[in-house]
Amino acid sequence: MARGLILSSLTLTATTTCLFASISKTPPKSFNLSFGLKLIHHHYHLLPLLCSFSVYSSPSQCSIDMSKNTETFSRRMAMAGLEPHHRIALGVSGGPDSMALCVLTAGWKTAGADAVTPENGGFIDGLLAIIVDHGLRAESKEEANIVSHRVSKMGIRCEIACCDWPSGRPKQGQLQEAAREMRYQIFQEVCAQHRIGVLLIAHHADDQAELFILRLSRNSGVLGLAGMPFTSQIFPTYKQSYREVQANQGILVVRPLLEFSKEDMYKICQGGSENWVEDPTNQSPLYVRNRIRMVLNNLSSSTFKFELQALISACRITRTYVDQIGYSLIGDAVVIKDHGYAVIDLQILCPLKVEDICLMKFLSLVLQFVSQRQRQIRGNALKLLMDYIRTFPCKNSVTAAGCYLCPDPGSRGFRVLVCCCSDDCALPSKIEYFESHSQGQGCCVANELGEIIEAEKSYANHLVLDASDVHFLDVNPELVLTEAKKLNIIGESTYNTVLALQKQETAHFRSKTEVISDSASKHGVTPFSKSLQPGQFCYLMDRFILTWKLKTNTDNDELSGLVGYEMDMGEETRSLCCTSCVTGNNKVPEVRHMIESDWLYLAELSKYPLSKNFPQYEVESVNGTERIMDRTSLCLHYASVSAKQALRLLKSIPVAARRSLPVLINQQGQLLSIPSVNFKHCPFLMVHMEFKPKIPLGGGHTSFI
């Protein structure tokens, strides 16, 4: 994202002084989208430029033909399932890439449509530019305001979002990655707030080339060499305070400029008479992408650029095919249980007959879902899983990537359970809280997003790939270049150039000593818990939504299991049965995942009559005085019957899967409820749990077309 203004290399014909003079003295212009059917006129005075700013100003007379660019852009938007009436956000930095995206999107939105109305204040309907002020430099706020005014002149409503760095400014070596993570987090927040489900990003073909060299130098396989996806769903790493965009929908990120080059970006800005800024940090060799970019810019051969893009395209075709196989295997061989674990049927999967690259993709998708990780499983963890799944039938267990895999009891190793690690996991269980909000508008966003994704899938279904069209299915990652040369995808010159770039960046990467602490993975984590207020919602481990409340009375159906115990069911008894066993002395329950002692507690509680050593509990009676609950009271009888029923249900859940089930406890650690098996200690306690994983099976929609 461009920040900080320096002169573009295209502006060397003019001095900085002249540029400043032309901007400050020229009257506000009318922006003309010449390729649309409507003219959009907006008049805004730019803020005064600070003396440290530099900017490129497009020529006033421009004869660049925009028709080819607009046609290509419209086709890519249709491929993504997008139509002009959809609500869309743009990630805008003010650089030539994002400004070109603004030009094309504004023209596409307004062509043949009544998209600009007085009700929208003269802005294009359903289009929002999001400008992120990272706050890492003193001038960033002023720059964001200038970009906002510039984009507003195009008829695009803008919102500037400022980054908050609670842990302080990121370290130099982590700056770009941290800024990117923060940027996408803000994109999701703003999109949710404005009920927008689609975000356009201005990545282009030159960005793909840089990423190819970068990943090649990191020994990435063919799936990584496919680069950035054309479309992908991203999901919040936390539960948002806004309910408009549902957690299991996230937002759809679309990159419609992947067929465009960097040179195209400049021409589009010039064709739209738009100014742009350049980020000075893009010239710093401290960052790997910058080093690769500067080297690639010096390679002016059109043959090299064409062949490199052809190689990337071949990798993307392979990726598309592998994704199709992976999703097909999930549909055939995986069953997801409401208790949060997966069952893989190895007899249907036939792991010995599936190509390694497809099987790895399949395993990565399944474990990503069970562990609810944002990123797919890679590296040594994936190799360990491959070795495990190939030992068909499976007899042992393995822990990898935050998951525990073991044979399904009674399956003789022909089915494998994939459960989320909880108490054995290196990281503590994730617990988040949020308040209840209306879901009405969120459903509209979710429905529109679902329609867009289905429209893109319909388009992609016409691109059915055959294995004969795929070149790198069984190629060692280190031999992708060699195989591409054998297939005449790249020539000898391109092969040698890419190989030299790879070796150069690999040497630079290995020269850095990175010390990664793995102390957290060597120690188990004690289960922890957090208080949950009545009516408040808890999101446990990104998969279970939990809430509770107390009823003022209960019906006979709730107490039907106690009929055989000849208990007094009068109103006084019901009142005494005690709201206080849950929230006595203004204490609220806490949430954690299930541990082994919970099972033992249920086993003891289920015995009737209860032993003399069974714990007694302090409660608050109707008149406010405290006494010790008699072991023959209604609450313990109810809890005993509930425990018996829960134990029967728990026996049907594999031991490994029980460890991630949510439970409700009091502040003394006593078990109050296991909602998964309908256990609760008091008939007045109402606990609701819903299995709603944040990241869906398959990691969300992704397309490399």
Side-chain angles (χ1 to χ4, degrees):
M1 305 292 283
R3 287 289 181 266
L5 313 183
I6 67 171
L7 278 175
S8 164
S9 60
L10 300 178
T11 67
L12 297 180
T13 56
T15 64
T16 304
T17 304
C18 292
L19 287 174
F20 287 146
S22 65
I23 291 175
S24 59
K25 296 179 180 179
T26 302
K29 64 182 179 181
S30 296
F31 178 68
N32 182 0
L33 292 177
S34 58
F35 46 90
L37 299 183
K38 295 179 70 70
L39 295 180
I40 305 174
H41 301 278
H42 292 283
H43 302 282
Y44 289 89
H45 289 281
L46 293 177
L47 294 177
L49 291 174
L50 298 180
C51 60
S52 61
F53 290 179
S54 305
V55 63
Y56 175 80
S57 180
S58 298
S60 57
Q61 300 295 327
C62 185
S63 59
I64 294 176
D65 182 10
M66 295 286 289
S67 59
K68 181 180 178 180
N69 291 327
T70 56
E71 181 182 347
T72 301
F73 183 81
S74 297
R75 176 173 54 83
R76 296 292 285 181
M77 294 293 276
M79 290 170 61
L82 293 173
E83 298 179 9
H85 69 269
H86 289 139
R87 295 175 56 82
I88 294 172
L90 306 171
V92 177
S93 65
D97 308 344
S98 63
M99 294 303 292
L101 179 63
C102 289
V103 170
L104 292 174
T105 308
W108 172 77
K109 264 276 193 182
T110 56
D114 187 19
V116 183
T117 62
E119 292 78 10
N120 295 321
F123 290 108
I124 300 172
D125 185 36
L127 191 59
L128 174 71
I130 306 173
I131 302 170
V132 178
D133 174 12
H134 294 92
L136 298 175
R137 294 179 294 106
E139 63 271 23
S140 64
K141 181 177 180 180
E142 187 71 18
E143 294 169 10
N145 287 331
I146 290 175
V147 173
S148 176
H149 278 257
R150 193 168 291 157
V151 174
S152 295
K153 291 181 65 178
M154 302 171 66
I156 302 174
R157 191 185 304 276
C158 293
E159 178 162 329
I160 298 175
C162 299
C163 294
D164 180 23
W165 301 98
S167 302
R169 177 191 172 98
K171 296 180 181 179
Q172 183 66 30
Q174 304 168 346
L175 187 62
Q176 286 193 330
E177 182 66 19
R180 180 189 180 279
E181 294 292 333
M182 179 67 76
R183 189 160 58 246
Y184 276 88
Q185 177 177 314
I186 288 176
F187 284 155
Q188 292 180 80
E189 290 177 349
V190 176
C191 285
Q193 189 175 8
H194 289 274
R195 304 187 301 280
I196 295 174
V198 178
L199 172 71
L200 303 189
I201 298 295
H203 291 130
H204 50 77
D206 289 34
D207 293 325
Q208 289 283 54
E210 296 166 13
L211 185 58
F212 180 90
I213 301 299
L214 171 62
R215 290 183 173 176
L216 193 66
S217 69
R218 304 298 192 263
N219 294 321
S220 177
V222 64
L223 301 187
L225 296 178
M228 293 171 282
F230 171 49
T231 60
S232 59
Q233 275 180 283
I234 59 174
F235 302 89
T237 56
Y238 57 94
K239 191 70 180 179
Q240 300 182 13
S241 58
Y242 304 102
R243 302 274 63 77
E244 285 82 359
V245 177
Q246 294 183 352
N248 63 349
Q249 288 289 338
I251 60 174
L252 183 70
V253 176
V254 180
R255 298 176 173 89
L257 303 183
L258 290 181
E259 288 187 6
F260 295 81
S261 67
K262 184 72 172 184
E263 184 179 355
D264 292 329
M265 301 297 102
Y266 291 118
K267 290 181 179 179
I268 292 167
C269 287
Q270 293 169 358
S273 301
E274 279 307 313
N275 303 330
W276 70 84
V277 299
E278 297 281 1
D279 185 351
T281 62
N282 288 342
Q283 309 300 319
S284 171
L286 293 175
Y287 302 109
V288 57
R289 275 185 170 274
N290 295 350
R291 293 195 302 270
I292 296 172
R293 181 183 305 119
M294 288 186 284
V295 173
L296 289 175
N297 287 342
N298 293 329
L299 299 171
S300 58
S301 168
S302 59
T303 300
F304 170 79
K305 294 179 179 179
F306 175 82
E307 291 184 348
L308 181 56
Q309 291 300 328
L311 175 53
I312 295 172
S313 178
C315 292
R316 294 175 74 81
I317 291 174
T318 304
R319 170 92 193 218
T320 299
Y321 176 82
V322 171
D323 284 352
Q324 289 176 352
I325 297 298
Y327 296 138
S328 176
L329 292 175
I330 285 177
D332 294 337
V334 177
V335 175
I336 302 300
K337 301 293 186 179
D338 287 343
H339 297 299
Y341 65 98
V343 181
I344 301 176
D345 192 323
L346 298 182
Q347 289 181 300
I348 297 177
L349 180 63
C350 297
L352 301 179
K353 297 181 180 180
V354 180
E355 291 123 328
D356 280 358
I357 191 171
C358 297
L359 186 58
M360 285 191 290
K361 179 66 178 181
F362 165 80
L363 290 172
S364 178
L365 292 172
V366 174
L367 268 72
Q368 181 189 15
F369 170 76
V370 174
S371 64
Q372 285 296 292
R373 296 189 175 196
Q374 288 282 335
R375 297 179 179 177
Q376 295 182 17
I377 314 302
R378 298 184 179 91
N380 292 333
L382 200 50
K383 293 178 181 178
L384 177 64
L385 292 168
M386 286 290 291
D387 292 339
Y388 175 77
I389 212 76
R390 290 291 195 194
T391 58
F392 176 72
C394 295
K395 299 297 183 183
N396 301 314
S397 60
V398 65
T399 301
C403 293
Y404 177 77
L405 286 77
C406 64
D408 188 7
S411 71
R412 296 180 298 174
F414 289 100
R415 291 193 304 272
V416 170
L417 301 178
V418 185
C419 310
C420 181
C421 292
S422 51
D423 50 331
D424 296 326
C425 191
L427 298 176
S429 301
K430 187 176 182 180
I431 299 180
E432 303 170 85
Y433 296 109
F434 61 94
E435 302 297 330
S436 176
H437 291 266
S438 171
Q439 295 278 350
Q441 294 172 325
C443 291
C444 295
V445 175
N447 291 338
E448 181 177 87
L449 186 55
E451 292 173 359
I452 292 170
I453 291 174
E454 286 304 314
E456 184 190 5
K457 287 181 178 179
S458 176
Y459 180 92
N461 288 339
H462 296 292
L463 305 175
V464 179
L465 296 174
D466 187 82
S468 60
D469 302 322
V470 183
H471 300 303
F472 304 118
L473 283 179
D474 55 356
V475 176
N476 187 301
E478 298 178 357
L479 300 177
V480 170
L481 282 181
T482 303
E483 183 67 15
K485 187 175 68 169
K486 287 181 181 179
L487 295 168
N488 293 321
I489 297 174
I490 58 175
E492 185 72 26
S493 176
T494 300
Y495 171 81
N496 292 329
T497 301
V498 173
L499 192 63
L501 287 171
Q502 177 194 10
K503 291 180 178 179
Q504 177 180 327
E505 187 51 45
T506 300
H508 196 285
F509 174 68
R510 290 178 177 173
S511 67
K512 296 182 179 180
T513 303
E514 296 182 358
V515 179
I516 302 176
S517 173
D518 61 350
S519 58
S521 63
K522 297 179 181 178
H523 303 283
V525 177
T526 302
F528 74 105
S529 59
K530 290 185 178 180
S531 298
L532 178 64
Q533 299 292 333
Q536 189 179 42
F537 287 80
C538 165
Y539 213 8
L540 178 67
M541 300 171 69
D542 288 339
R543 69 193 65 230
F544 297 114
I545 295 180
L546 193 73
T547 188
W548 72 275
K549 65 179 181 179
L550 286 175
K551 294 197 301 184
T552 56
N553 54 64
T554 188
D555 52 35
N556 290 329
D557 291 339
E558 190 72 35
L559 301 174
S560 60
L562 298 176
V563 173
Y565 294 106
E566 298 180 355
M567 295 301 301
D568 177 13
M569 299 298 177
E571 290 298 327
E572 182 178 353
T573 303
R574 294 190 185 192
S575 298
L576 181 61
C577 175
C578 47
T579 60
S580 53
C581 68
V582 179
T583 57
N585 299 325
N586 296 320
K587 296 177 181 179
V588 297
E590 299 177 349
V591 180
R592 61 163 168 78
H593 59 76
M594 190 174 178
I595 56 178
E596 188 63 26
S597 61
D598 295 332
W599 172 274
L600 300 176
Y601 177 83
L602 288 180
E604 182 68 21
L605 182 60
S606 66
K607 298 175 183 177
Y608 186 83
L610 301 175
S611 68
K612 293 182 179 180
N613 295 327
F614 194 83
Q616 297 177 344
Y617 310 102
E618 193 175 82
V619 302
E620 187 174 338
S621 63
V622 177
N623 58 13
T625 61
E626 292 183 354
R627 66 177 179 84
I628 298 298
M629 181 191 295
D630 186 358
R631 285 193 298 272
T632 61
S633 69
L634 177 61
C635 239
L636 283 184
H637 281 287
Y638 179 88
S640 180
V641 174
S642 183
K644 291 179 181 179
Q645 297 170 344
L647 284 172
R648 286 195 293 269
L649 291 175
L650 278 173
K651 289 178 181 178
S652 66
I653 303 174
V655 175
R658 297 175 198 159
R659 297 170 185 160
S660 62
L661 296 179
V663 302
L664 209 63
I665 61 174
N666 63 19
Q667 294 191 351
Q668 287 72 44
Q670 178 210 341
L671 185 65
L672 296 178
S673 175
I674 307 178
S676 303
V677 291
N678 300 319
F679 168 75
K680 55 183 180 179
H681 214 287
C682 174
F684 290 90
L685 175 63
M686 299 298 296
V687 184
H688 176 74
M689 188 203 75
E690 182 180 0
F691 175 58
K692 194 170 186 180
K694 185 177 293 184
I695 300 176
L697 182 60
H701 175 70
T702 302
S703 171
F704 283 81
I705 57 175

